[in-house]
Amino acid sequence: MHLKYALSLKEITAKPSRRLINHALKDDKALQATFIGQARAREALDFGLGLNAKGYNLYVMGEQATGRFTLVHEYIAKYVQKVLTPDDWCYINNFEDEREPFALRLPPGESKRLVKEMGKLVDELLDTFPAAFDNPGYQRKKVAITREFDQRYDHAIDSVEQLAQAQNVALYEENGNISFSPIVDGKPITDADFAKLSDEERQRYYQLIDELENRLGEALIELPKWKRASSEQLRHLKKDTAEQGIKPLLKELEHLYASDLGILKFLRQLKPHLVETIVEILADDKKDDKHDEYDRRSVLEEQYLPNILVSHELNSGAPVIYEANPTHQNLFGRVEYTNVSGSVFTNYRMIRPGALHRANGGYLLLDVDKLILQPYAWETLKLVLKSGYLKMDLPQPDVGMVNSITLNPQHIPINVKVVLLGSRELYYNLQDFDDEFYEMFRVLVDFDHEIQLDKKTLYDFVGRVRHQVSQLGLSSISPKAMYRLVEYSLRMAEHQQRLSARFSDVIELLNESLYFCRQGHALDLDVTHIEAALSAKTRRTGRVSEAVLDDIKQGQILIATEGVDVGKVNGLTVLEVGDSLFGTPARITSTVYAGANGVVDIEREVELGQPIHSKGVMLLTGYLGHKYAQLFPLTLSANIAIEQSYGHIDGDSASLAELVALISALTNIPTRQDLAITGSINQYGQVQSVGGVNEKIEGFFKLCQHRGLSGNQGAIIPKSNQISLMLDKEVVAAVKLGKFHICVVETVDQALELLMNKEVGVMNTKGRYPKGTINYMAVSSLLNIANVVNGADDE
């Protein structure tokens, strides 16, 4: 039996070009595809990347899993191959104020070379010193300075000693201490012998020794001056020796970097500080102590080796950096600390770069939804983009050391193109609530969620799939398998002429198909592997859908698939549980009686109906009034419910089924139970498209298939949803055999005609419907209810 408005097999299936798919499978140029469609986004990317002006950063707008990041990253990576490689950046010690290290800019690759050369300088210093202080010339000068001091000292002591001996007093010098002792009978006496002397003798010696000590003090009064002069001469000698030792070493470096003023300035500032360091730590004789040599090397490296912040290989192009965790420190760098003897310590070599440093001169990709959640990160990013400089001003509360002394590194000029990846909602919210947003991000890269199916996009789709198959380690993919993937993408988009932009879904299917390919020890991906993967996923995620279908089969949920009934219609609904999306029929019922309560939505009354669903029900009153109650007041009481529904319901896709149930209850005309219907309506009776149409049809088909296909069963959908049909192969086969039907309607009248098997009736020139038609009976019923209600009011 052929139903009115039923679609043919050709009308419910899509026909991607098999010839073009086969050609793309053989053409290696297809492998070079970056984008699948997305012409608008590609044009915006070209514009944003090609315009080097302040504020023209990019916001890539689109939903998750549409391939935004992969496509943008690959596109930029290809684009920047021709861009000049940016300079290297280092931090070097500021010998005048170590809290404010200098930033040093170098050509690409030169930073590593500079570190290598400075490392060689450290090695040469350790080889040169303290060996240079063992030089005979240095030792002679050192001995001469020491001898001069000793001679002055000895001369002063000798003069006092001669005076003491003339007075029979001996002078002793032991461990730097000078003492006097009386001489009796040609030899110094002991303390015991001294005690035996008479008081007059002892008193005379006391006075004599006091005088000698005073004379000794006067002779040695200039001893500190002599010591200072001697130490100063030794320091000058050490400094001169150190300068002579490092002069050829630094001269070699200055000659090597004669064209770089920044490094030359650094070497000139380094020289006096290096001399002081050598005098302090290398002018000793502990060169055999291995541990001490390690400490010396550490001191030299900590003060003189540059800290490479960013380094690039020559001709490597501009950097493309993606920061997955855009915290303040990950973006703008940080200063690390260490614990030395219980104290917090840091220096310029403990400065660590952030993503902005690494992306300087190139491109920085960020997820804006993560960025705006990080304290201070969004405001600091805007400040950097606005000023063009990056200064490591860490927010003190975030650092956790409010009163600690930290470094204040010299700022670095920043030239980076920031690419934010985010949703549409967030883009418009930022525009509304952040006045600086548009000033900084003027280029919108808008990714469509669907892609028009044409020769170019189909060609690119095949190329991207082939690339992914190669990444999985497979040798090839069969034409049938590729055709099935195209169908899968069309199904995801719910459109016969548009591919889904969520290429990640295709990649997911390929990954799952690989498992079954490996199970069969195959190297080529075939359509059987894809079908096995789809079946397995349906099995894994299908517990809830199977449970609902089992309840219907066992009669727990009342759904009729044959016969007729008054005020009862099979609606088509779709449920989403986790990553499982499935359709299931639902019985929609209505009752009508005399009264003035209007159309009551039971779902809304019990707070199960969400706003859009309630809106759809409220439109029913508008339709009834416009269609039937032009000559009398619309007065009725009606209840509408989705039976055995215990969860929240949203969407207006049941409004057409609810209206049919209402009119059936109003006219007492039974409706067919072997047909299920979906669609939304407006107040003028036009049927509008809905979502999930494929899942809805398949849900009703499975129930009919279980109970046995009679050839009269089918689904009614909006005419505008015809292009959305990408049905399961079992449904397509049933339609081909005439065992199941898919009908499309554009108006409520067409739906009534199908479900009630009765002429709907067209209004004549006198504003009346033919007797016996559906519309005539609806007007009559409404008029009778109005008379009853108005008559009751009159009484």
Side-chain angles (χ1 to χ4, degrees), residues 58-71:
L58 295 83
Y59 187 103
V60 179
M61 184 167 72
E63 302 308 317
Q64 291 285 346
T66 55
R68 294 172 309 168
F69 171 74
T70 303
L71 295 178

Side-chain angles (χ1 to χ4, degrees), residues 223-336:
L223 181 64
K225 180 179 177 182
W226 301 338
K227 189 66 177 178
R228 286 195 300 271
S230 176
S231 299
E232 188 67 25
Q233 288 177 337
L234 284 173
R235 277 196 297 271
H236 280 296
L237 177 61
K238 289 180 180 179
K239 288 179 68 174
D240 290 342
T241 304
E243 286 180 359
Q244 293 300 319
I246 67 173
K247 187 175 181 180
L249 305 180
L250 292 181
K251 202 70 178 176
E252 183 180 347
L253 280 175
E254 289 175 352
H255 178 72
L256 185 62
Y257 291 101
S259 60
D260 197 312
L261 295 178
I263 297 179
L264 288 178
K265 184 179 179 181
F266 169 61
L267 293 175
R268 292 191 185 101
Q269 290 179 335
L270 174 146
K271 183 177 179 179
H273 190 274
L274 183 59
V275 170
E276 294 291 340
T277 303
I278 290 172
V279 169
E280 184 177 344
I281 69 169
L282 296 181
D284 56 46
D285 299 323
K286 297 181 180 179
K287 53 182 180 291
D288 295 331
D289 190 339
K290 292 183 179 180
H291 179 71
D292 190 58
E293 182 178 349
Y294 172 79
D295 291 340
R296 293 168 180 170
R297 178 180 293 277
S298 297
V299 171
L300 293 174
E301 289 180 347
E302 285 297 313
Q303 295 190 71
Y304 304 119
L305 257 61
N307 175 19
I308 297 179
L309 208 62
V310 182
S311 179
H312 303 284
E313 297 295 331
L314 191 61
N315 299 323
S316 60
V320 183
I321 304 298
Y322 170 67
E323 179 53 60
N325 183 25
T327 63
H328 193 281
Q329 291 189 347
N330 288 349
L331 277 179
F332 309 108
R334 64 188 183 277
V335 178
E336 293 182 343

Side-chain angles (χ1 to χ4, degrees), residues 572-609:
L572 296 176
T573 64
V574 65
L575 301 177
E576 186 172 2
V577 181
D579 62 347
S580 176
L581 185 71
F582 61 94
T584 181
R587 173 171 282 186
I588 298 173
T589 62
S590 177
T591 57
V592 176
Y593 51 92
N597 295 329
V599 179
V600 176
D601 177 14
I602 293 179
E603 312 299 328
R604 179 186 178 188
E605 294 299 315
V606 297
E607 298 183 353
L608 288 178

Side-chain angles (χ1 to χ4, degrees), residues 710-780:
S710 64
N712 297 324
Q713 296 148 332
I716 302 172
I717 63 172
K719 174 72 173 178
S720 52
N721 273 123
Q722 178 180 333
I723 202 166
S724 303
L725 294 175
M726 288 297 302
L727 295 163
D728 185 77
K729 58 184 180 181
E730 289 186 337
V731 181
V732 173
V735 170
K736 182 178 181 180
L737 296 173
K739 293 184 176 180
F740 194 79
H741 307 278
I742 298 171
C743 306
V744 293
V745 295
E746 296 179 273
T747 64
V748 172
D749 284 351
Q750 292 176 351
L752 292 172
E753 191 175 0
L754 272 171
L755 282 165
M756 295 182 178
N757 272 336
K758 193 176 183 68
E759 187 179 346
V760 70
V762 178
M763 183 180 290
N764 58 26
T765 55
K766 295 181 180 180
R768 297 178 181 175
Y769 293 104
K771 288 186 178 181
T773 62
I774 298 172
N775 287 333
Y776 175 84
M777 298 177 70
V779 171
S780 299

